Amino acid sequence: MKLFGSELLTSLLAVGLNYAATFILPSSSLLKDPITTLSTTVPILFVGHLLLVALSNVLRGTSYKLLKTLLYSAIASVLATSILYVLIVLFGAPLLDKIPNTFLFSAYLSILTIMPCFQSLENPVWVKVFIQHSPTTTSEIYAYAQVVCTLTGAWIGAIVLPLDWERDWQVWPISCIISTYVGHAVGVLAAFVWSSLKGIFSKKKSE
């Protein structure tokens, strides 16, 4: 297994992109004005992750299907935003109140879960990786770990919302945005450790 291939590079770049787009590049602060901040963050993330999808294809030598992959990743992110919006409302987000907040969080979560899959997966093995939960190659491990940890992070961030602490970061969906970012970063680390250990044990078995 390749431990230091394009998956690690694009994943680390994604972590940096997510941080910059969420906390540095917007002219407003996430804590003080989440709507304005996310309105800047989401387009930056969308374009930035598309560029990472393109970079991953170049590094893997699959430039011949670059346009197809970019199109699929963009469509999948848009569709996932709608699906996540419905799921987030079903999980307790306001139905008629703060619709822009929920939509922007759905888009943020969609990009951080869908785009890494197109950046990491070399082949269309979605059923094997996400339905059967059996990632085996490095690219599959990176895709799976990032998705699972990002979604887990988003869910953990929602736990503090009902608590009556009256903190600035408890405004919907600030805590979920922060925990989603952290979850994705943890997913990259988990994927690196997982693939590294798998490579070490595989090497020992072959000796």
Side-chain angles (χ1 to χ4, degrees):
M1 296 177 66
K2 301 179 294 181
L3 303 183
F4 302 98
S6 62
E7 298 85 7
L8 177 60
L9 175 60
T10 54
S11 297
L12 291 176
L13 289 174
V15 172
L17 169 64
N18 297 341
Y19 180 80
T22 306
F23 303 107
I24 297 179
L25 296 178
S27 58
S28 55
S29 169
L30 180 64
L31 292 178
K32 295 180 180 179
D33 192 352
I35 296 299
T36 302
T37 302
L38 290 174
S39 296
T40 302
T41 296
V42 169
I44 293 175
L45 284 178
F46 186 74
V47 174
H49 276 275
L50 282 177
L51 292 176
L52 289 179
V53 171
L55 175 62
S56 65
N57 274 266
V58 172
L59 293 176
R60 288 199 299 261
T62 55
S63 300
Y64 60 91
K65 59 178 182 180
L66 174 58
L67 293 179
K68 180 180 178 181
T69 305
L70 288 174
L71 179 61
Y72 282 176
S73 61
I75 293 175
S77 296
V78 172
L79 293 176
T81 297
S82 302
I83 296 172
L84 286 171
Y85 184 93
V86 174
L87 291 176
I88 289 169
V89 170
L90 291 176
F91 271 90
L95 176 60
L96 300 176
D97 188 26
K98 297 184 177 180
I99 293 177
N101 305 53
T102 305
F103 173 77
L104 288 168
F105 173 55
S106 302
Y108 187 92
L109 181 58
S110 173
I111 294 170
L112 266 62
T113 51
I114 298 299
M115 290 294 189
C117 295
F118 287 93
Q119 293 159 18
S120 298
L121 288 177
E122 298 177 352
N123 300 303
V125 287
W126 298 81
V127 173
K128 173 179 178 291
V129 176
F130 297 108
I131 303 300
Q132 299 176 353
H133 300 283
S134 57
T136 52
T137 67
T138 299
S139 62
E140 293 170 4
I141 289 172
Y142 269 88
Y144 183 80
Q146 289 179 81
V147 169
V148 170
C149 290
T150 301
L151 292 174
T152 302
W155 178 77
I156 291 175
I159 294 177
V160 301
L161 294 176
L163 302 178
D164 189 20
W165 293 345
E166 297 183 356
R167 303 294 184 181
D168 292 341
W169 48 265
Q170 285 184 282
V171 175
W172 170 251
I174 294 176
S175 62
C176 290
I177 292 292
I178 296 174
S179 61
T180 297
Y181 165 77
V182 174
H184 176 266
V186 170
V188 173
L189 176 61
F192 174 73
V193 174
W194 182 354
S195 59
S196 297
L197 292 175
K198 189 174 182 65
I200 292 172
F201 287 125
S202 297
K203 185 177 180 181
K204 286 184 178 180
K205 287 182 180 179
S206 63
E207 292 178 351

